[in-house]
């Protein structure tokens, strides 16, 4: 795929190297001790980022294992990729941020707070950081005022914002293709 992208002058974005949601990971992850989870995570980051160094314009990251490894886990995991490949940016990925305000884990207030915590972590230096929004809209009418206010709030961070995934359930508010 990378050869095809290079040949056709297509820039490639990497997706999440680690993902915390237990619904989408192997069962053995949950049985690891904190020390083993940290080692396995660091090994994976090192392997993936090193393999694709200089070939990917950005990597996406989510709230990774903070429940087991502590509140600095994301900052620690951001620190390693920037040391391996200083050419690509790291994007904080979250979902349910612009759709509505009912998900307590993805509140608009938490997003900038997490970005500040990552930037403040010792050794981060000149981290190329960005925001990636993953959006899953129901078939109900979208709350456009909330969406605009959310994007304005995130834009105030002065970081690039990518829409990485946008999904709209079938219904009257989905675009109809002809």
């Amino acid at each position: 795929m990378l050869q095809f992208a290079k040949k056709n002058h297509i820039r490639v974005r990497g997706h999440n190297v680690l993902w915390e949601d237990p619904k989408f990971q192997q069962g053995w992850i949950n049985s690891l001790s904190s020390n083993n989870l940290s080692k396995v995570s660091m090994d994976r980051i090192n392997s993936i980022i090193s393999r694709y160094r200089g070939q990917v314009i950005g990597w996406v990251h989510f709230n990774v294992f903070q429940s087991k490894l502590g509140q600095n886990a994301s900052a620690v995991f951001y620190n390693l990729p920037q040391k391996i490949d200083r050419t690509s940016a790291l994007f904080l990925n979250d979902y349910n941020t612009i759709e509505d305000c009912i998900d307590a884990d993805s509140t608009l207030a938490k997003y900038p707070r997490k970005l500040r915590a990552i930037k403040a972590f010792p050794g981060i230096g000149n981290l190329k950081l960005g925001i990636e929004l993953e959006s899953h809209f129901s078939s109900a009418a979208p709350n456009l005022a909330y969406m605009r206010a959310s994007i304005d709030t995130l834009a105030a961070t002065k970081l690039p914002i990518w829409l990485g995934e946008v999904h709209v359930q079938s219904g009257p508010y989905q675009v109809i293709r002809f």
Side-chain angles (χ1 to χ4, degrees), residues 8-32:
N8 291 284
H9 309 287
I10 300 170
R11 297 176 6 161
V12 175
R13 173 191 62 89
H15 200 54
N16 299 30
V17 177
L18 301 172
W19 187 263
E20 183 173 14
D21 193 330
K23 294 184 294 190
F24 303 108
Q25 61 185 221
Q26 300 86 350
W28 60 268
I29 295 281
N30 295 323
S31 66
L32 294 176

Side-chain angles (χ1 to χ4, degrees), residues 13 22 56 67 72 77 80 92 103 113 119 131-132 152 164 170 175 177:
R13 173 191 62 89
V56 174
S67 58
N72 284 335
F77 291 144
L80 182 58
L92 180 61
D103 187 343
R113 193 168 36 231
K119 289 167 131 182
I131 295 169
E132 178 169 299
D152 286 346
S170 293
V175 174
R177 291 181 170 210

Side-chain angles (χ1 to χ4, degrees), residues 49-103:
I49 304 294
S50 295
R51 182 180 315 148
Y52 298 106
R53 177 184 7 235
Q55 302 177 72
V56 174
I57 60 170
W59 289 97
V60 177
H61 173 79
F62 180 61
N63 179 28
V64 177
F65 306 123
Q66 289 187 235
S67 58
K68 259 191 165 176
L69 301 177
Q71 290 303 306
N72 284 335
S74 289
V76 169
F77 291 144
Y78 270 85
N79 201 15
L80 182 58
Q82 78 140 5
K83 288 180 179 177
I84 296 170
D85 184 0
R86 294 189 185 278
T87 64
S88 64
L90 297 171
F91 285 77
L92 180 61
N93 175 308
D94 209 347
Y95 56 93
N96 295 337
T97 305
I98 63 170
E99 297 91 319
D100 53 46
C101 52
I102 61 173
D103 187 343

Side-chain angles (χ1 to χ4, degrees), residues 22 36 52 91 103 116 128 134 138 167:
N36 286 339
Y52 298 106
F91 285 77
D103 187 343
R116 284 191 300 275
K128 289 182 184 176
E134 185 177 319
S138 72
H167 173 258

Side-chain angles (χ1 to χ4, degrees), residues 157-171:
T157 66
K158 306 285 189 220
L159 295 173
I161 298 174
W162 289 1
L163 292 177
E165 295 180 36
V166 177
H167 173 258
V168 179
Q169 288 180 354
S170 293

